Amino acid sequence: MKKSSQPSLLNNSEQKAALPCDHIPIRPGNFVADRIFLAKGSMTTPERVRFVERICALYPEAQLVECPDTPHNRIDLREQDNLARHQKGKHTLVFGEHKSAVRFSAEEGNACPNYWHFSPYGFCFYGCKYCYLAGTPSYWHSPAVRIFLNLEEILERIERVANQANMPTAFYLGKLQDGLALDPLTGFSGVQVPFFAQHKFARQVILTKTGQVEQLLKLDHNQHTILSWSLNPPELSERFEENVPTIAERLEAMKQCAEHGYPVRAIIMPLIPVKGWEKIYGGFVERLLESVPIQRLTLGGICIYQNAKALMEMKLGKGNNISQSLDPRSKIGDGRIRYAQPLRLEMYGHIVRTARKLRPDLELALCLEETKAWKELGIEDRMGHCNCLL
Ligand code: SF4
């Protein structure tokens, strides 16, 4: 690969990627912090101390725990019961630093290409009952919401990777967190969006369920920030997602961002095969496409590992619609449990046909699927252009 001679944006005094200390933090609508941990790296510079203190001041009721020798992923919530620990984590905020926050994914056994992703945050405070992330080792043992303060270092790494790639390269924020849920608190978008806007090669793709986008509407993004919303029909969101912005709030946020010129995408995942799903999803896709000029729609079924499934069943019972439709024989090479392939193809096919009628130009993609599914839907020429990538 060729090395770029592009000057560093981070050395440019007008484009400093330090913490947004002039941002006035706002409590995100759905987040209540009972305990705040000041973990390793959170208080090591005067700038970090000021930044953390301003956020802590918004939660005077929270218990403050200083643990400067404990890394962010070793916070012990002192709760043995798996469900109770998970619920406690949703009300626990950890400040720390993440030294390997920019990573290349290591997907195997499905049609997804690997991609760069980054983590100024870890986990999230929303309560989706099907959450796959809750079952991953780090958030299973220490399921707290995390804010990483080494943002400058994270963007420096992105800059190095993008310059080395010497071509437009996506960096995805949403694999190990919600990408914007904590933004009203941190104001990180005020640093990230200008950084990517001015970069020749680096682009960010953010996945979120937020309804709070005021901060984004003030920023010049140069279309180098792509915003993607995770959606499901309202009647299913109400049943399977707790403590999240409503679908109407998300659609409104998408609309505002699209009007402000951001490229906007949607991902409907997991599709949930409840009785009458054809009508429910068909109607919802029509509503989505009529209300927001999205560029790309990505679809996916449930793709879940054992721990996340166990947690989901503690919340919903074993008879829930997702569990009842899982087919253990449908594991493809990546080991995740899915719905049976005929059901997945039927659901994708129905939505693709509905979408195509309204928007023949709409880019369509699948998430964590097999090559065969792309082919059956006639969209194999789009493989590699899904939600996490350009
Ligand atoms: S938004 Fe994503 S990470 Fe957060 S609870 Fe829902 S599925 Fe999990």
Side-chain angles (χ1 to χ4, degrees), residues 101-375:
V102 183
R103 288 194 241 170
F104 196 63
S105 69
E107 280 294 332
E108 274 179 11
N110 58 49
C112 287
N114 282 307
Y115 56 92
W116 287 99
H117 58 97
F118 71 111
S119 293
Y121 309 110
F123 210 28
C124 96
F125 53 80
Y126 296 146
C128 308
K129 295 176 184 175
Y130 50 73
C131 180
Y132 70 96
L133 197 52
T136 56
S138 176
Y139 300 119
W140 179 260
H141 295 293
S142 186
V145 179
R146 306 170 198 174
I147 296 176
F148 301 121
L149 300 162
N150 55 325
L151 182 61
E152 185 168 8
E153 200 176 18
I154 293 171
L155 295 182
E156 275 168 4
R157 170 89 176 114
I158 288 175
E159 176 165 51
R160 280 199 299 277
V161 172
N163 286 346
Q164 204 168 28
N166 204 28
M167 59 190 275
T169 302
F171 293 84
Y172 184 63
L173 169 53
K175 181 177 171 63
L176 303 173
Q177 60 282 106
D178 183 283
L180 282 174
L182 287 158
D183 191 56
L185 213 47
T186 64
F188 279 1
S189 63
V191 175
Q192 288 168 226
V193 172
F195 166 80
F196 283 95
Q198 293 186 35
H199 204 280
K200 191 170 172 194
F201 302 120
R203 309 286 181 264
Q204 65 174 341
V205 181
I206 305 182
L207 177 67
T208 187
K209 287 189 172 88
T210 192
Q212 288 178 276
V213 292
E214 296 78 7
Q215 158 95 350
L216 291 167
L217 304 180
K218 298 179 206 150
L219 302 170
D220 287 331
H221 51 78
N222 197 21
Q223 299 204 317
H224 289 187
T225 289
I226 299 164
L227 299 171
S228 180
W229 266 265
S230 166
L231 302 170
N232 241 305
E235 48 274 67
L236 298 185
S237 173
E238 280 156 25
R239 277 173 62 188
F240 293 91
E241 298 173 347
E242 205 173 75
N243 193 39
V244 285
T246 64
I247 295 299
E249 287 166 340
R250 287 181 236 174
L251 290 177
E252 180 56 30
M254 293 170 80
K255 216 163 123 182
Q256 287 179 13
C257 289
E259 280 166 8
H260 194 65
Y262 285 99
V264 170
R265 298 176 179 175
I267 177 164
I268 307 183
M269 185 175 184
L271 297 173
I272 304 174
V274 292
K275 194 164 181 278
W277 63 262
E278 296 89 341
K279 197 161 171 233
I280 294 173
Y281 278 99
F284 178 63
V285 168
E286 283 172 9
R287 175 178 169 195
L288 167 66
L289 297 183
E290 277 159 8
S291 44
V292 190
I294 57 169
Q295 295 189 340
R296 185 175 299 174
L297 174 63
T298 300
L299 305 174
I302 194 93
C303 300
I304 203 165
Y305 290 113
Q306 196 50 45
N307 272 353
K309 178 172 173 284
L311 212 46
M312 175 179 76
E313 290 176 350
M314 286 175 217
K315 298 175 192 169
L316 289 167
K318 282 185 190 294
N320 75 80
N321 291 95
I322 296 175
S323 295
Q324 286 298 302
S325 306
L326 290 174
D327 178 0
R329 291 163 304 172
S330 67
K331 273 190 195 171
I332 60 175
D334 62 12
R336 295 176 173 94
I337 311 169
R338 293 169 163 80
Y339 307 139
Q341 194 191 67
L343 175 61
R344 301 195 323 260
L345 290 177
E346 196 187 346
M347 295 189 86
Y348 299 149
H350 179 71
I351 295 174
V352 163
R353 283 190 297 279
T354 308
R356 281 257 187 267
K357 259 188 234 157
L358 282 169
R359 285 274 312 273
D361 62 315
L362 183 67
E363 298 173 7
L364 292 160
L366 299 176
C367 186
L368 290 171
E369 260 301 346
E370 301 172 276
T371 306
K372 185 178 173 198
W374 290 78
K375 284 189 177 156

